[in-house]
Amino acid sequence: MSDLGSEELEEEGENDLGEYDGERNEVGERHGHGKARLPNGDTYEGNYEHGKRHGQGIYKFKNGARYIGEYVKNKKHGHGTFIYPDGSRYEGEWADDQRHGYGVYYYVNNDTYTGEWFAHQRHGQGTYFYAETGSKYVGTWVNGQQEGAAELIHLNHRYQGKFLNKNPIGPGKYVFDIGCEQHGEYRLTDVERGEEEEEEETTTMAVVPKWKATKITELALWTPMLAEEQAPMEGTGPEEAPGAEGGGELSEEGQSPADASEGEMDSMRLGEDYGGGRREEGREYGLEEFRYDTIDPGIVSFEEEESKQSELPE
């Protein structure tokens, strides 16, 4: 299950107290340190205040997930670590039972996201590291999606520009370790895809970003604002260096399970579009095509992983 927009597990409420062994105040409320075994099979050990979990505590879910951190009036609030049933985990800030503030999410495929969260989603500045390829996205996120000025850094080159809905869009540039830059822009184009359904072939349209190169230059200092200010320029570069015609989005996140809804995972992989450009044989460096459909075998798309994880039991 994706961690984008999914809800955390509903912990046992204050009216479903179960068994309790610990301190109480003068009116009989749970107050101080105590242990509780809840009617749904969950357990909690930690601090209480006026009958509610408040302060430091450890909550263990019957499905194997657990939360170790701070509570405020029965809700995860402050700093805490949530460990999901598959071993993935989030370490960072919480507010009102949601990931909120700064934190690190360690996914099951060894991908990591480090940065800002808002209402349970990646939002603000953050870095996503793709363990399988060694690439990483460094930049802005909006409601869980890669959006805004960013760098997509590969092993021997990087792309600098703007993203929208996980796709590069508008002016940008490729920076190569050998000491040059290729400027251009990404334009969204429609690509036909054939599919067989009930022995009849149908054609669907997919919108994918296509790279158009305009100029080769020497290296220059880059800041996030440069991508916004850069305009396409005429030059001696190729008229067009098309991107992949078979992909559309940068796949994200290794799937993290439902922790009885608290577990979440996004299969964040470097997908069909941004697996890293390669040069076609026989072309000079400035006349190459960057094809994002030439990725390493075995990389799984975000949609395929999400489909598989949605079948996991809570």
Side-chain angles (χ1 to χ4, degrees):
M1 182 181 293
S2 168
D3 74 353
L4 303 181
S6 60
E7 295 298 326
E8 295 290 338
L9 174 63
E10 181 82 24
E11 297 178 11
E12 201 73 3
E14 57 186 301
N15 296 325
D16 302 309
L17 301 179
E19 302 174 4
Y20 176 74
D21 180 19
E23 299 174 342
R24 296 180 182 270
N25 60 16
E26 60 277 5
V27 296
E29 296 174 322
R30 299 179 184 187
H31 195 87
H33 188 271
K35 299 179 181 180
R37 181 175 181 82
L38 307 170
N40 67 348
D42 297 347
T43 62
Y44 172 78
E45 180 176 356
N47 294 322
Y48 286 87
E49 186 174 285
H50 299 296
K52 297 181 178 181
R53 294 184 295 277
H54 193 93
Q56 195 72 21
I58 301 175
Y59 193 106
K60 295 181 179 180
F61 298 85
K62 61 182 178 181
N63 69 348
R66 62 189 183 275
Y67 171 78
I68 305 165
E70 297 177 89
Y71 279 91
V72 172
K73 296 181 179 180
N74 270 354
K75 294 186 176 182
K76 296 182 286 292
H77 195 98
H79 191 275
T81 297
F82 198 100
I83 302 172
Y84 301 96
D86 68 343
S88 60
R89 72 187 187 277
Y90 169 79
E91 298 177 3
E93 298 174 348
W94 297 78
D96 198 25
D97 260 350
Q98 296 184 320
R99 294 183 295 273
H100 192 97
Y102 185 88
V104 182
Y105 202 117
Y106 300 88
Y107 297 93
V108 293
N109 62 349
N110 294 320
D111 289 0
T112 60
Y113 170 79
T114 304
E116 298 175 314
W117 297 78
F118 181 84
H120 237 23
Q121 300 187 75
R122 298 182 296 272
H123 189 93
Q125 291 296 312
T127 298
Y128 194 98
F129 173 72
Y130 302 87
E132 187 167 355
T133 62
S135 299
K136 60 183 177 180
Y137 172 94
V138 182
T140 307
W141 300 74
V142 177
N143 296 326
Q145 303 293 325
Q146 297 169 352
E147 186 169 319
E151 284 188 282
L152 188 58
I153 304 172
H154 303 293
L155 296 180
N156 59 2
H157 70 282
R158 64 187 63 199
Y159 174 75
Q160 300 170 345
K162 293 185 69 175
F163 287 75
L164 180 65
N165 294 327
K166 298 192 281 186
N167 286 321
I169 189 170
K173 66 179 180 180
Y174 283 91
V175 181
F176 298 93
D177 290 352
I178 63 171
C180 70
E181 301 177 350
Q182 184 183 72
H183 298 256
E185 66 175 317
Y186 270 103
R187 298 174 181 176
L188 297 180
T189 59
D190 291 334
V191 175
E192 291 187 359
R193 292 180 179 177
E195 297 181 357
E196 290 188 4
E197 183 175 339
E198 297 181 356
E199 300 182 355
E200 292 184 4
E201 189 171 299
T202 60
T203 301
T204 60
M205 300 298 293
V207 177
V208 298
K210 187 175 183 180
W211 174 250
K212 180 178 181 180
T214 58
K215 185 178 182 181
I216 301 292
T217 67
E218 296 180 352
L219 293 179
L221 182 64
W222 180 82
T223 64
M225 291 302 295
L226 180 60
E228 300 178 5
E229 296 169 357
Q230 169 116 18
M233 298 188 301
E234 296 182 358
T236 59
E239 178 63 22
E240 264 192 31
E245 299 178 358
E249 296 181 345
L250 173 60
S251 298
E252 307 164 359
E253 318 195 347
Q255 293 284 339
S256 159
D259 65 51
S261 267
E262 174 132 349
E264 301 103 20
M265 352 174 256
D266 290 322
S267 170
M268 205 152 178
R269 299 257 187 224
L270 214 64
E272 300 174 355
D273 306 302
Y274 310 120
R278 67 167 184 153
R279 288 183 293 168
E280 293 193 0
E281 297 295 333
R283 292 175 179 259
E284 294 183 4
Y285 196 80
L287 302 177
E288 59 196 23
E289 288 190 359
F290 301 99
R291 298 191 58 82
Y292 291 96
D293 53 352
T294 55
I295 60 173
D296 294 334
I299 294 181
V300 184
S301 69
F302 171 57
E303 291 78 6
E304 291 172 347
E305 277 296 327
E306 180 117 278
S307 173
K308 293 176 184 178
Q309 294 299 330
S310 64
E311 299 174 1
L312 292 177
E314 295 187 349

